[in-house]
Amino acid sequence: MRPLEDAVTAWASSRASLLPQVGRRLFAMVLLMLASASIAQAAIDAYTFKDEAERARYTELTRELRCPKCQNQDIADSNAPIAADLRKEIYRMLGEGQSNQQIIDFMVDRYGEFVRYKPELNAHTWLLWFGPAGLLLGGVLLIGVIVVRRRGQRSEDADVLSDEERQRLAHLLDKNHE
């Protein structure tokens, strides 16, 4: 096995002068590929707006609505075809002069409350809004009950010895000191 190691070491040392050049080129190539991959994934919509207020409304709406396919992305960042359709629909509805609430209501009617990142508080979503606080409060109460019970057990355990046992214990302790 030693001749093989020697051959590998010799080959590596003969190539040592080429290694920095190849390493730099490889690093530059990997960096370029990573940069171009992130650019290629960006969602690009070329919409023209009549003013900046309408552009701001469009941006706000596309950030507020969730992509039905991606689920953890807003439709502004998603590359899914359905997200592109939703962006196009929002642009169309803005052009028709509909309000933000009308557009959101349309999307909720079509895709359900799930399409909103911040669902309204109603009978269907109260658990979503108050469930985490309820679980936290329940956990704190449970820990409190456990602590109180354990403290109560300790005080009860301190008076467990009878008079006879105390006398015997005192006798044993006195015996050990002698």
Side-chain angles (χ1 to χ4, degrees), residues 42-45 58-59 61-65 67 73-79 83 87:
I44 299 173
D45 292 323
Y58 174 82
T59 303
L61 286 167
T62 57
R63 295 279 177 207
E64 187 177 328
L65 297 172
C67 174
Q73 277 187 319
D74 54 34
I75 61 174
D77 293 333
S78 176
N79 288 329
R87 288 191 298 267

Side-chain angles (χ1 to χ4, degrees), residues 45-56 58-59 91 94:
D45 292 323
Y47 295 127
T48 55
F49 298 95
K50 62 182 176 186
D51 56 10
E52 281 303 313
E54 189 173 274
R55 179 184 304 274
Y58 174 82
T59 303
Y91 177 74
L94 282 173

Side-chain angles (χ1 to χ4, degrees), residues 42-109:
I44 299 173
D45 292 323
Y47 295 127
T48 55
F49 298 95
K50 62 182 176 186
D51 56 10
E52 281 303 313
E54 189 173 274
R55 179 184 304 274
R57 286 180 57 208
Y58 174 82
T59 303
E60 177 187 344
L61 286 167
T62 57
R63 295 279 177 207
E64 187 177 328
L65 297 172
R66 182 191 322 250
C67 174
K69 182 178 180 185
C70 304
Q71 297 183 359
N72 286 329
Q73 277 187 319
D74 54 34
I75 61 174
D77 293 333
S78 176
N79 288 329
I82 192 163
D85 291 344
L86 290 176
R87 288 191 298 267
K88 194 181 303 179
E89 188 69 20
I90 289 172
Y91 177 74
R92 181 190 64 76
M93 293 173 86
L94 282 173
E96 292 175 356
Q98 293 189 20
S99 70
N100 287 8
Q101 192 58 47
Q102 288 174 320
I103 294 171
I104 290 172
D105 289 343
F106 171 79
M107 295 295 180
V108 168
D109 288 343

Side-chain angles (χ1 to χ4, degrees), residues 14 40 48 62 91 129 131-132 146 154-155 159 177:
S14 69
T48 55
T62 57
Y91 177 74
W129 283 102
I146 290 171
R154 284 185 193 155
S155 65
D159 297 333
H177 287 301

